[in-house]
Structures are given as structure tokens and as C-alpha cells.
Amino acid sequence: MKFKDALLSMLIVQVGIALLAVINYGATLETLQAVTRFSGRVSLGIFSLIFLFQKHRYIKLNAILSDNYYLVFAIAHGIHLIQLLTYVYLSGNDLIPIRLAGGFLAYVLIFAMPFIQRQFERQKISIKGFGRLNLIYLYYVWFIFFMSYLPRVRGTLPNVGGSYSEFVVLLAWVSLMLGIKLQNLLMDKFSNRIR
């Protein structure tokens, strides 16, 4: 898939989310909360594809998200960040410093990775260096998604919108992602030993 097609598809989904939220909630703060929540789900979906299929033998990530999949995710999560900051500002919700620091580092990684990928493609970063940065990126962003849903399931994060069952499903999915990833890594190591 070409980058512009992947970007256009993601933008169409984002606009669709906004339209459905307006239809369901009208022009309210609850609408913005729903848009923010579901744009986060779009980001999770894109990240799930990157996390699970980046080096998959049979499923080619560039066929789904283009060769610039880091950039597609960065743009999607950038949209989510703008919506989140707007919602937090308009709702008057307090920011939790520890969550803010962890999320800030994740956003730094998310926005830096397209540039890092470009530097790697220009051979300004070694394969080993890129591999290390990619591992840090993948597992740290995964951890932030996990920590986004865990307090929701535990009921320790007020005013987040959504239902308990929705949070359980999302936490289960994020946990399952790690299980799938680890199983694939073990299978790859096992198949390499047999060869």
C-alpha cells in the first residue's frame, strides 16, 4: 500500500469516528471524550499491526500500512494527542504527573521513530543500533498501552468514559499481543535451530 493511501484510510476512519460521536452525543464535551477514546483505539489498532507483523514471515506490514508505517502511527497518535489535550483542557480534569511523564516519553518515541527509520534507510544508523531503538520503541509503547487500560479495569482512573467490559477486552487484547509476540519469537528461534 502507498503511504498516501494508508494515511487517507486512517483519516477517513478518524472523520467517521467524529461524525458518529456527533450523531450519538451532539455537540457536547461527551462527544469530544468519545472521539478521543475511539481515536486511541485506532492508534492501538495501528500499533497492534506494527507490534505483531513488523517482521512476520507471511504477513507483510508494508502491504497494510505502507513502508512508512511508523509515520502512519505517529500521525494517528498525534491526532489522538491533540484530541486528548483539548478534552483535558475543556473538561478541567487534572493531569497525573507520573502518567504524564510516562506518556510524554512514549510520544517522544512515537514521533521520533519515523525520523529514526529515515536515518536507518539512509544508512546513518547501523542495523544493530536501529534494532535496539526499535525494541525500546515497541516494548515501551506496548507498556504504555497496557498501563492505559490497567487502571481503567481496576477502576482507579476517574472520568475516562467507556464501559468496564470495553476496558477488560482492550486490556486482554494488549496482554494477548505480548503473548503472541513472545510465542512468535520463540517459534523463530526454534525454527532457526532446526535449520
Side-chain angles (χ1 to χ4, degrees), residues 26-191:
T28 65
L29 194 56
E30 194 175 8
T31 301
L32 182 56
Q33 185 182 41
V35 169
T36 303
R37 194 168 70 245
F38 287 105
S39 74
R41 308 304 183 260
V42 170
S43 291
L44 175 59
I46 294 169
F47 178 73
S48 298
L49 293 171
I50 295 169
F51 189 79
L52 295 173
F53 303 123
Q54 186 179 48
K55 295 180 182 179
H56 200 274
R57 252 186 242 155
Y58 307 111
I59 299 171
K60 301 300 177 199
L61 189 57
N62 61 354
I64 303 168
L65 291 175
S66 85
D67 289 333
N68 294 315
Y69 49 84
Y70 293 116
L71 184 57
V72 172
F73 177 58
I75 292 169
H77 218 53
I79 291 169
H80 174 66
L81 176 63
I82 291 167
Q83 294 165 342
L84 181 62
L85 292 174
T86 304
Y87 173 73
V88 168
Y89 175 76
L90 292 176
S91 67
N93 284 339
D94 293 328
L95 295 172
I96 303 165
I98 189 83
R99 291 182 60 80
L100 192 62
F104 177 77
L105 181 55
Y107 275 106
V108 168
L109 288 170
I110 290 166
F111 294 140
M113 205 58 188
F115 173 75
I116 292 168
Q117 179 187 22
R118 186 78 60 185
Q119 295 301 98
F120 170 69
E121 290 167 354
R122 293 178 179 161
Q123 299 178 345
K124 294 183 178 181
I125 297 176
S126 69
I127 293 173
K128 197 172 189 178
F130 181 73
R132 286 180 182 154
L133 290 169
N134 188 55
L135 273 177
I136 292 167
Y137 167 87
L138 287 176
Y139 288 99
Y140 187 75
V141 174
W142 174 88
F143 176 73
I144 293 300
F145 273 113
F146 180 83
M147 291 308 294
S148 294
Y149 297 119
L150 181 62
R152 286 169 167 83
V153 169
R154 295 173 67 197
T156 58
L157 204 59
N159 304 321
V160 290
S163 67
Y164 178 76
S165 58
E166 176 185 349
F167 301 143
V168 169
V169 168
L170 290 166
L171 181 63
W173 169 246
V174 172
S175 301
L176 182 62
M177 282 170 55
L178 184 62
I180 293 168
K181 182 78 166 176
L182 294 176
Q183 186 235 352
N184 286 341
L185 290 173
L186 290 173
M187 292 300 289
D188 285 347
K189 282 189 178 185
F190 181 73
S191 64

